[in-house]
Amino acid sequence: MSARPSPSARRRRRWTLPVAVLVLLAGGFGLYLFEPWKAFTSTRVDEAPPAAAAPLASPAAAAPLASPPAGGAVLPPSPSPAGPGAAAGPVEGVAGAFRSGEHPTTGTARLVRLADGSTVLRLEDLRTSEGPDVRVYLSAEPAARSRLDTLGDAPVELGRLKGNLGNQNYAVPVGTDLTRVRSAVIWCARFSVGFGAADLTASAR
């Protein structure tokens, strides 16, 4: 006669399958949450500028940028494309170099007003890390704060980061109060940490 399994062996068998299922579920959730493979991958996106930058046609419109309230970004007033002060192409506004946050981040963030009155945030020579749910924001906080752990009040989301390398354009929503904007931020929304940020100040270009 074959020996019957002991009660302890039957209990171990009873728990083996549920424990294995829980381990697999936990492992799958961990992979989804952290996406660890992105620590070893890169995505390059190289978009052309909207068009070659050009100065304003009228001397008054080409005057230096006004100092923004409380350090915020200020672009020249948007002229009517059909009027005498219309721009022949995009107008440089404010720009700054990225400072590293949780990940080494370099490159330049640049606000550009287009001839049709819309505004684009352009990231140039960007180099940062890939990560889960990484997005681009405009923040009312300076880069010294927004690059680490806060986006401040009412940040403006511009969309998911298209790639961790290269040159990219992000449309700024119509109606955004640019006088509040102080920095552009690359931000991991899943873990609420900044990969890097750039102060947006008067452009030297």
Side-chain angles (χ1 to χ4, degrees):
M1 267 180 87
S2 60
R4 299 180 60 184
S6 66
S8 61
R10 289 198 297 270
R11 284 195 295 272
R12 284 196 299 271
R13 290 177 183 175
R14 186 181 307 128
W15 287 104
T16 297
L17 181 59
V19 169
V21 170
L22 287 175
V23 169
L24 289 174
L25 288 174
F29 181 72
L31 288 174
Y32 161 77
L33 191 64
F34 293 97
E35 300 182 23
W37 58 88
K38 288 193 172 181
F40 307 99
T41 63
S42 289
T43 301
R44 174 173 287 278
V45 174
D46 281 311
E47 296 179 332
L56 291 173
S58 68
L65 299 177
S67 297
V74 170
L75 289 172
S78 176
S80 169
V91 178
E92 290 291 347
V94 290
F98 273 101
R99 302 168 62 181
S100 298
E102 289 293 324
H103 296 268
T105 301
T106 58
T108 301
R110 193 178 304 281
L111 278 176
V112 182
R113 171 157 288 154
L114 306 184
D116 63 3
S118 62
T119 304
V120 168
L121 176 72
R122 179 163 173 80
L123 307 184
E124 297 178 335
D125 299 321
L126 177 68
R127 180 174 292 275
T128 187
S129 300
E130 287 206 300
D133 200 16
V134 181
R135 300 169 185 261
V136 179
Y137 287 87
L138 296 178
S139 171
E141 296 289 339
R145 295 193 63 195
S146 61
R147 70 191 175 98
L148 296 175
D149 58 4
T150 181
L151 284 171
D153 295 330
V156 180
E157 182 181 336
L158 305 185
R160 289 180 179 271
L161 185 69
K162 299 173 183 179
N164 64 309
L165 304 174
N167 305 283
Q168 302 153 33
N169 304 317
Y170 296 85
V172 177
V174 175
T176 299
D177 183 3
L178 294 177
T179 64
R180 295 185 64 253
V181 172
R182 299 194 63 186
S183 63
V185 191
I186 297 174
W187 182 265
C188 177
R190 187 167 298 169
F191 294 104
S192 296
V193 295
F195 278 32
D199 284 313
L200 295 172
T201 56
S203 174
R205 282 178 58 173

